[in-house]
Amino acid sequence: MLNTLLPSLTNLTTRTIPLALVAALAVKATAQNLVPNGGFEDTVHCTGWDPPFTSALHWTSANTATPDMYDADLVRGCGVDLVPGSDIYTEPYEGERFAGCWQWYGAGSSDVHEYLMARLLAPMEAGDSYRVSMHYALAPPAHMAIDRIGVYFAQDSLFQDDLYTIEVIPQVQLFSPDSGYLVSTDWVELADTFMAIGNERWMIFGTFTHVDDVNGIVIPGFPLGAAYYYFDDIRVEPVDAGSGIAEGPVKPSLELRGDAFYWYGSSPLTDAMLFDATGRVIRQWKPIHGSAELPYMLPTNLATGVYVLSVFSDTERRSVSFVKGGGIERKA
């Protein structure tokens, strides 16, 4: 809870196959949001302060830290009351509720991170693209900010029995569309596209970087010594011709040619990672110079299968998937 938890933290069902198939096809055909209760509006347990995993349907935590629920319905009180004029007050992006999570306490401090996890309404399909989005707002008292929110997709759920960093590599990194850091106290949408390897059914979002490796800043003049964010309208939506969801303009900054990739972005690359179909990191390039004139060679001994290459600069994150089999073939 934003007002009270900081001191303590420093101390620290079976379905038939036909029904499942019908549900998956229906979800894709209507471009439905695959995230259940993405606005945290559906609640079942309201007794004052309750974290989302006890009060918001379908949501749970991926470690023992306790994200917060905020509620503008002051009568029902399903979470922290959003009293107009209070130092934590932010009007929900939509509806009456949203979630809040600690993301960073500054370099050299506690490695505590809060995560939220949900089971998608249908598994992702191999080779299909999905638009991943959420609205964020920096809590008004917070005087630290970070540069990204990670989103990790997995075939199975996970739970880490402590408060600290979950050591997985998120396939999606959501950056600010207009700033190097997530500093807005008004709601801003973060979005990117992701190509599925197949059968990803669980989504976890938060910060997957250890405290001293987080790219963060201090904002002078604010009282709360932490980067604490509000989240609302979490979405994962299929991108296809009938979905009504635009992928946005073509992004030619990452190009895959033969056994190499090239970077043409506006700022140099900071790192790149190659994943296999299980999400295992096959190779990581870090640090790298980001020049477009020299190729970055991919491993020559890749087994036949699907691979995802993700690259990062200070302002961009791009991914490309390809199939290896008698030579590299670009997939998307």
Side-chain angles (χ1 to χ4, degrees):
M1 184 172 175
L2 185 57
N3 286 341
T4 62
L5 288 189
L6 184 58
S8 62
L9 284 175
T10 58
N11 298 324
L12 285 174
T13 56
T14 302
R15 296 180 181 177
T16 64
I17 292 177
L19 285 177
L21 179 59
V22 169
L25 291 175
V27 165
K28 186 174 181 181
T30 59
Q32 179 182 348
N33 181 13
L34 296 183
V35 180
N37 197 18
F40 306 96
E41 295 298 308
D42 295 335
T43 54
V44 294
H45 179 69
C46 298
T47 60
W49 175 79
D50 296 300
F53 55 83
T54 62
S55 57
L57 287 173
H58 305 290
W59 287 99
T60 186
S61 177
N63 65 5
T64 59
T66 54
D68 306 307
M69 274 281 287
Y70 293 84
D71 196 348
D73 182 347
L74 303 183
V75 175
R76 190 167 185 221
C78 193
V80 180
D81 285 341
L82 289 170
V83 179
S86 67
D87 62 350
I88 66 169
Y89 182 76
T90 295
E91 184 175 347
Y93 172 73
E94 62 176 9
E96 294 184 316
R97 301 175 183 90
F98 56 77
C101 297
W102 299 99
Q103 296 300 307
W104 190 53
Y105 295 93
S109 64
S110 171
D111 202 23
V112 169
H113 295 304
E114 292 182 336
Y115 302 90
L116 279 169
M117 178 170 65
R119 188 173 190 263
L120 302 179
L121 294 172
M124 292 179 163
E125 297 186 20
D128 282 5
S129 293
Y130 296 82
R131 185 176 189 269
V132 182
S133 66
M134 62 180 63
H135 282 76
Y136 92 91
L138 183 67
H143 86 240
M144 293 182 183
I146 58 176
D147 71 333
R148 71 189 71 180
I149 297 295
V151 187
Y152 176 68
F153 292 96
Q155 296 179 354
D156 296 309
S157 62
L158 64 84
F159 180 76
Q160 183 167 295
D161 194 19
D162 59 41
L163 300 167
Y164 306 114
T165 305
I166 295 177
E167 295 187 3
V168 298
I169 299 176
Q171 298 93 329
V172 176
Q173 301 273 9
L174 298 178
F175 295 91
S176 170
D178 54 14
S179 171
Y181 294 92
L182 306 178
V183 296
S184 176
T185 54
D186 297 321
W187 292 107
V188 174
E189 184 184 43
L190 307 176
D192 201 352
T193 55
F194 163 66
M195 175 170 284
I197 292 174
N199 283 327
E200 293 93 336
R201 191 64 187 262
W202 291 86
M203 179 195 73
I204 306 170
F205 71 85
T207 297
F208 298 88
T209 306
H210 287 288
V211 57
D212 289 336
D213 296 322
V214 170
N215 186 10
I217 58 171
V218 174
I219 307 170
F222 289 75
L224 182 65
Y228 184 94
Y229 288 94
Y230 298 149
F231 297 102
D232 204 351
D233 191 29
I234 317 299
R235 293 181 171 272
V236 174
E237 299 167 297
V239 176
D240 57 47
S243 70
I245 301 171
E247 288 193 66
V250 176
K251 302 171 181 175
S253 49
L254 173 62
E255 184 178 354
L256 184 65
R257 295 203 308 265
D259 290 329
F261 69 91
Y262 297 77
W263 176 247
Y264 301 98
S266 58
S267 60
L269 289 182
T270 56
D271 62 288
M273 289 177 288
L274 181 65
F275 303 89
D276 67 10
T278 69
R280 182 169 60 98
V281 178
I282 300 299
R283 174 154 182 201
Q284 183 169 14
W285 295 260
K286 182 180 178 73
I288 54 181
H289 50 74
S291 170
E293 283 126 19
L294 294 175
Y296 298 96
M297 301 307 299
L298 296 168
T300 58
N301 60 343
L302 295 177
T304 299
V306 178
Y307 295 87
V308 177
L309 173 69
S310 292
V311 302
F312 304 87
S313 74
D314 288 337
T315 59
E316 298 180 77
R317 176 264 186 192
R318 299 288 178 257
S319 293
V320 62
S321 298
F322 61 87
V323 177
K324 173 69 176 180
I328 294 177
E329 308 167 27
R330 180 167 181 170
K331 186 166 183 181

